[in-house]
Amino acid sequence: FVKYSKNSIHYIISERIYHIMKHKKWFIFNILSSVLFLVVSIFLWFRHVDGSGAIMNTKLRLLNLAIWFIFFTIMVLVEFIIIRISKHV
C-alpha cells in the first residue's frame, strides 16, 4: 500500500473514487429497494385472493397497500437514521 501526500493527484483521485464507490452502494441499494417496492405493490394490487382465502376488493387492496407503504416507510426511516449516524462517526 502506497501513501501519497494530500496534495498529489493520486491522493485526490483515490479519495474521489472512494467516495463515489461508497455512495454508489447506497444508490444501488435504493434502486433495488424501489424496484422491490413497485413489484410487491403491483402484486398486492392484482392478486384476486389473499393468503387467508379472502377475495380481494378495492378496500382490501388499498388496506394491503397502506400496510406495505407503512412498512416500507419504516425501512426508509431506518436507512436515513443509519446514514445520519454514519456521517457523524
Side-chain angles (χ1 to χ4, degrees):
F1 184 74
V2 178
K3 278 198 144 188
Y4 297 106
S5 68
K6 291 190 176 186
N7 295 332
S8 74
I9 190 71
H10 297 292
Y11 178 81
I12 294 170
I13 291 173
S14 65
E15 285 294 312
R16 184 69 183 149
I17 290 172
Y18 170 75
H19 288 293
I20 290 172
M21 293 305 290
K22 183 178 178 183
H23 295 290
K24 185 177 180 181
K25 291 176 186 177
W26 282 107
F27 181 73
I28 291 171
F29 175 77
N30 285 328
I31 294 294
L32 291 176
S33 60
S34 298
V35 169
L36 176 69
F37 177 76
L38 288 174
V39 167
V40 171
S41 297
I42 291 169
F43 169 74
L44 289 175
W45 185 258
F46 285 110
R47 68 181 180 168
H48 299 290
V49 179
D50 71 352
S52 66
I55 297 174
M56 301 298 288
N57 57 21
T58 305
K59 288 181 184 179
L60 287 176
R61 286 182 176 142
L62 290 174
L63 181 64
N64 282 338
L65 287 177
I67 292 169
W68 174 241
F69 179 75
I70 290 168
F71 172 74
F72 195 76
T73 303
I74 292 170
M75 296 300 290
V76 169
L77 289 175
V78 168
E79 178 186 352
F80 283 128
I81 290 170
I82 291 171
I83 289 172
R84 295 287 292 196
I85 290 172
S86 66
K87 283 185 178 181
H88 291 292
V89 171

